[in-house]
Amino acid sequence: MAKYNSKQSIKLFLILVISVSLIGLFLLADSIVIENYSNAQKSRVKSLNDSGFWSLTEPIFIDGDASGVDAHNWSWVESQVWFGGGNGSTLDPYHIENITIIGESTENCIHIVDSNVHFIVRNCTLIGPYSSPSIGIYLENVESALIESNFISEFNYGCHLVNVNSSHLDGNRIMNNSANSFRIQDSNYNNISNNIANHNTGNGFSLSNVFHSTFYNNTAFYNTGGPTSSGIYITFESDFNNFIENTLSDNSRGMMINPDSNGNVFDSNIITHNAQIGIGCYGVYNNTFRNNYFFDNDNHGISFDSGSRFNRIINNELIEQSGSAISFVYNSSYNIAKNNTLIKNGVGFFIYTLAQGPCKYNKIINNRIWNSTSRGMRLWGANYLICKNDILNNEIKFTEGSGIYATMNVSDNNISNNSITFNEFGIVFDDINGSNNEIRDNYISCNQKGIILEDSGENIVSKNRIAFNTEFGVKMDCVVASRDENIISENLFIKNTKHAIDVYENNYWNSSIIGNYWSNYTGEDIAPVDGIGDSPHNLTEGIDYLPIFNGAPKIMIISPINESKVSAPPPEFSVSVIDTNLLKTWYTIDGGLTNITYTSNGTFNSVLWNLLVSNLTDGDQINITFYASDDYNHTSSQSIVVIFSDPLLIPIPGIPGYEIWIVLGSLFMGIGLISSYRKRKLII
């Protein structure tokens, strides 16, 4: 036994020695690898600490293609005391860092031309003489640059890029220049992010011929030197760029986009407190403006001018512009404005043309337009037509003036399915030379005045719900005899103080087959019963010869049967409602405290029913009332009473002799258990 233990100890000792040796070899090899890597890095990269912080009296000029004696190329840069390291590759770009230059001449502080290597200009402070045409950082014909975290001030241009591609400008502060912070020309595929461009006489960012670039999270404040000084100024032909989450505030103009700048996306920008306009677009095509926030810009929030076409304005929020929130002017057509929120602006939407041609085929859809101080929408064709535009599904309310106001040359437009409520005026056409507009399927309610057509003829006013307007529902007031002959039919006039006024009696208050519904119509529909009143309805200076007659909905309760018994489980109900214009059906089982809307027969609401019967005793009554309303503001009801029956209080009928069977069953069960116990004991 001792021999066995001795052999085992020897084996354990040998294993321990081998393990320690292997660990030592591994640590030695690892140390050699680390030392070799460190040496390689030291030989490859010049330490950034060598660059230090340099204050230079002369500008830096680098020509990547220069050669010969004293050529200021990248080899020359490597020989300078301020050189920060690198070899110009993607992984190890040249570094120009921590340099301060106070400019006292017309020369540019850092000027790099004809370079296709990778380089970084970082953490430099450049101050110019302000009045000279000098530039802080000037790049020409450059690829793959990173301009980062520099402070540049008091030049003509803070940073000027010409034919610069695939480069990044990030985190720079450029301000107080006599022209622009950034001027970018003929440059593509660049990323301009997190920069500050403030207090310039010209623009924060000026772009021309810029393509496929991204401007993200930049700030441009207080660029106010002239009437067109802008946070971002796009001169012409800059396409397919993205402008995302930039803040443009307190400039003369937030952003100007000039002709032939197309296919750009403007997303989630903040544009506030600009002195003339938030965004001005002039002759631009196919741009997308979405999720932007506009607040307190003078004149317009965003304006499309000079034939701007096929632009999309979606999901923006525009609050408290002193003029209009969104405008289409001077031949701007085929644009779509959808799902925008416009609150407390002078005018929500403004469509206007004085020159250049008509504004047509614009679509204004599903926008919320609240609390406008003048008009929710204004259409004004001064010298050309405002025509063939679609104004659909908008909510216009709480306007101090008109919900929709049209004047001069407004024709062939479609105004449908809008909710226009709580305004001074609902819809006003004060229009010379305007005609053939369709006003259909709108809800025009709770205004002072519903619809006014004044000197606007041959329009169709149909299928609108015109209700609860405090002065009148519709007024026709055509001073010019030829500007009338409007057709008003199939509308619902419900409880307006005065339904309709026709000053000159030159309009048609019914079509050839049907008129309108009037909640104060006193006629009957007897012979024949066809839904048309047997006698005309007289208006103030007008007549509807075919008024719609509609009685209240007819309700028949099929089940439960009146005074039938019900119990705790909610019973089913079956109700028949007859009305060709049925709007809503509902019921109550608790005296009207809770109304349950239903669209088809079924079972009473289980939560409400169980709550009700939990407090009832056998024989208590439940009052059930069914209601129905229609499009004509009629409401009917029908009630029944059912009796609650508590099944727990009903005795169970006796079974003759059931007591003896319980006794016998218990006896046989006991005998069985005793027998089973004795058998188990014998086996043990």
Side-chain angles (χ1 to χ4, degrees):
M1 194 73 174
K3 184 177 180 181
Y4 173 78
N5 289 336
S6 177
K7 288 182 178 179
Q8 189 177 31
S9 299
I10 292 169
K11 287 181 179 179
L12 290 173
F13 176 74
L14 290 174
I15 291 171
L16 180 60
V17 170
I18 292 170
S19 299
V20 171
S21 300
L22 290 173
I23 291 170
L25 289 172
F26 174 78
L27 291 173
L28 178 63
D30 191 50
S31 176
I32 292 170
V33 169
I34 291 172
E35 183 177 0
N36 289 338
Y37 177 79
S38 178
N39 291 335
Q41 288 294 93
K42 288 178 181 179
S43 64
R44 187 175 70 86
V45 181
K46 184 172 181 177
S47 172
L48 292 180
N49 291 332
D50 290 346
S51 66
F53 288 86
W54 305 97
S55 181
L56 305 183
T57 58
E58 295 294 328
I60 296 173
F61 174 72
I62 302 168
D63 184 345
D65 288 342
S67 60
V69 179
D70 294 330
H72 281 217
N73 52 29
W74 288 105
S75 296
W76 171 81
V77 170
E78 291 178 352
S79 68
Q80 301 303 303
V81 66
W82 43 260
F83 175 55
N87 58 22
S89 66
T90 303
L91 296 178
D92 189 19
Y94 289 121
H95 289 258
I96 301 173
E97 298 184 312
N98 306 326
I99 290 174
T100 297
I101 303 176
I102 308 298
E104 296 181 356
S105 69
T106 60
E107 294 183 274
N108 307 310
C109 275
I110 298 177
H111 188 178
I112 302 173
V113 302
D114 299 328
S115 173
N116 58 9
V117 301
H118 294 262
F119 67 88
I120 298 172
V121 179
R122 177 189 290 142
N123 198 35
C124 295
T125 297
L126 310 175
I127 307 296
Y130 190 77
S131 59
S132 77
S134 60
I135 300 169
I137 295 177
Y138 188 11
L139 307 182
E140 295 180 272
N141 305 321
V142 165
E143 302 279 339
S144 308
L146 171 59
I147 311 300
E148 182 179 47
S149 302
N150 301 285
F151 177 78
I152 304 172
S153 182
E154 300 188 18
F155 292 90
N156 188 28
Y157 301 119
C159 183
H160 189 180
L161 278 58
V162 179
N163 192 26
V164 174
N165 303 305
S166 304
S167 296
H168 295 259
L169 282 70
D170 195 341
N172 301 284
R173 291 181 301 140
I174 305 179
M175 57 189 66
N176 295 314
N177 299 286
S178 61
N180 309 317
S181 282
F182 294 86
R183 186 181 185 190
I184 305 173
Q185 297 174 274
D186 306 315
S187 298
N188 307 315
Y189 299 101
N190 297 297
N191 190 309
I192 296 91
S193 303
N194 308 307
N195 301 284
I196 296 174
N198 296 348
H199 295 283
N200 300 285
T201 302
N203 308 299
F205 298 83
S206 178
L207 286 61
S208 62
N209 288 303
V210 174
F211 295 84
H212 299 288
S213 295
T214 296
F215 294 78
Y216 172 75
N217 196 38
N218 300 286
T219 298
F221 285 4
Y222 299 109
N223 299 287
T224 58
T228 62
S229 296
S230 306
I232 297 175
Y233 187 97
I234 305 173
T235 55
F236 60 90
E237 293 186 5
S238 291
D239 301 342
F240 309 114
N241 301 290
N242 293 306
F243 298 83
I244 303 170
E245 294 186 17
N246 302 285
T247 300
L248 312 175
S249 183
D250 295 285
N251 307 285
S252 294
R253 301 189 178 200
M255 185 184 301
M256 279 189 66
I257 310 170
N258 285 296
D260 300 321
S261 292
N262 308 319
N264 300 290
V265 175
F266 303 85
D267 193 340
S268 302
N269 301 285
I270 298 173
I271 301 118
T272 63
H273 306 296
N274 296 288
Q276 293 192 33
I277 193 170
I279 298 179
C281 305
Y282 302 86
V284 302
Y285 288 72
N286 199 34
N287 296 283
T288 298
F289 300 82
R290 65 188 180 214
N291 306 317
N292 300 289
Y293 176 75
F294 298 78
F295 177 74
D296 188 32
N297 299 287
D298 283 348
N299 293 326
H300 308 293
I302 180 169
S303 176
F304 296 86
D305 201 326
S306 304
S308 293
R309 299 191 173 197
F310 304 108
N311 299 287
R312 294 165 297 279
I313 308 96
I314 301 171
N315 291 327
N316 301 282
E317 187 173 0
L318 299 99
I319 299 175
E320 294 188 20
Q321 323 313 309
S322 63
S324 63
I326 299 173
S327 64
F328 302 117
V329 301
Y330 293 157
N331 193 30
S332 291
S333 303
Y334 302 96
N335 301 288
I336 297 176
K338 185 176 181 180
N339 298 334
N340 300 284
T341 297
L342 287 61
I343 297 177
K344 292 185 178 181
N345 303 284
V347 176
F349 282 90
F350 183 37
I351 305 179
Y352 168 75
T353 185
L354 177 64
Q356 302 184 27
C359 289
K360 59 185 180 181
Y361 295 109
N362 296 291
K363 295 183 181 296
I364 301 174
I365 303 173
N366 201 37
N367 301 281
R368 185 167 58 135
I369 309 165
W370 286 17
N371 298 98
S372 300
T373 59
S374 177
R375 296 171 175 97
M377 293 187 191
R378 184 175 185 185
L379 288 65
W380 184 9
N383 287 337
Y384 290 89
L385 285 176
I386 304 294
C387 63
K388 300 186 184 301
N389 300 285
D390 289 322
I391 300 171
L392 312 173
N393 300 305
N394 301 284
E395 182 183 49
I396 308 173
K397 65 194 308 184
F398 305 127
T399 306
E400 293 181 18
S402 305
I404 298 175
Y405 182 83
T407 183
M408 295 184 66
N409 297 309
V410 178
S411 297
D412 298 294
N413 298 284
N414 178 17
I415 302 172
S416 298
N417 293 298
N418 301 284
S419 175
I420 305 172
T421 60
F422 300 101
N423 309 287
E424 183 178 355
F425 301 88
I427 298 175
V428 177
F429 272 69
D430 182 8
D431 194 358
I432 299 173
N433 300 325
S435 62
N436 296 310
N437 299 284
E438 292 193 10
I439 303 172
R440 292 182 181 271
D441 296 298
N442 300 286
Y443 179 57
I444 304 170
S445 177
C446 301
N447 308 285
Q448 290 184 36
K449 306 171 182 69
I451 299 174
I452 299 176
L453 299 186
E454 184 172 319
D455 294 324
S456 181
E458 300 178 3
N459 301 289
I460 295 174
V461 181
S462 179
K463 298 183 178 180
N464 301 284
R465 185 180 179 90
I466 305 168
F468 305 106
N469 297 289
T470 58
E471 292 193 25
F472 54 78
V474 172
K475 181 179 181 181
M476 299 293 176
D477 188 3
C478 298
V479 177
V480 181
S482 61
R483 308 307 304 158
D484 46 24
E485 298 186 353
N486 299 286
I487 299 175
I488 307 98
S489 67
E490 298 182 79
N491 301 284
L492 308 182
F493 289 88
I494 299 171
K495 294 188 177 181
N496 303 285
T497 300
K498 183 174 289 186
H499 284 322
I501 302 169
D502 190 348
V503 176
Y504 292 96
E505 299 185 73
N506 295 315
N507 299 284
Y508 302 101
W509 291 92
N510 52 265
S511 68
S512 59
I513 58 174
I514 194 169
N516 303 277
Y517 173 79
W518 310 91
S519 61
N520 61 345
Y521 178 61
T522 58
E524 296 179 328
D525 180 21
I526 298 175
V529 179
D530 57 1
I532 302 296
D534 295 336
S535 58
H537 181 68
N538 293 308
L539 317 174
T540 303
E541 309 297 336
I543 299 176
D544 180 353
Y545 292 97
L546 299 171
I548 297 171
F549 184 91
N550 190 81
K554 295 178 175 59
I555 302 173
M556 182 172 63
I557 302 173
I558 300 170
S559 67
I561 297 173
N562 190 42
E563 297 186 351
S564 62
K565 291 185 177 182
V566 296
S567 57
E572 293 184 348
F573 65 86
S574 177
V575 178
S576 173
V577 181
I578 300 173
D579 193 297
T580 56
N581 297 281
L582 188 64
L583 178 65
K584 181 182 177 182
T585 55
W586 69 98
Y587 65 81
T588 181
I589 61 175
D590 58 3
L593 296 177
T594 308
N595 294 318
I596 305 296
T597 300
Y598 70 94
T599 55
S600 61
N601 293 318
T603 303
F604 286 105
N605 182 276
S606 60
V607 174
L608 188 61
W609 185 270
N610 292 334
L611 179 64
L612 178 67
V613 301
S614 66
N615 297 312
L616 299 180
T617 60
D618 189 59
D620 285 346
Q621 293 185 345
I622 301 174
N623 295 300
I624 301 173
T625 302
F626 289 90
Y627 295 89
S629 64
D630 62 17
D631 288 330
Y632 300 97
N633 208 42
H634 296 137
T635 299
S636 299
S637 65
Q638 190 72 29
S639 299
I640 60 170
V641 173
V642 295
I643 310 301
F644 178 66
S645 177
D646 190 343
L648 297 178
L649 300 178
I650 300 175
I652 300 174
I655 301 174
Y658 77 94
E659 296 89 349
I660 188 62
W661 289 110
I662 292 174
V663 173
L664 291 174
S666 300
L667 179 62
F668 286 129
M669 185 179 295
I671 294 170
L673 290 171
I674 293 169
S675 176
S676 174
Y677 175 76
R678 293 183 63 188
K679 286 181 180 181
R680 289 179 63 194
K681 188 173 182 181
L682 289 173
I683 291 171
I684 293 172

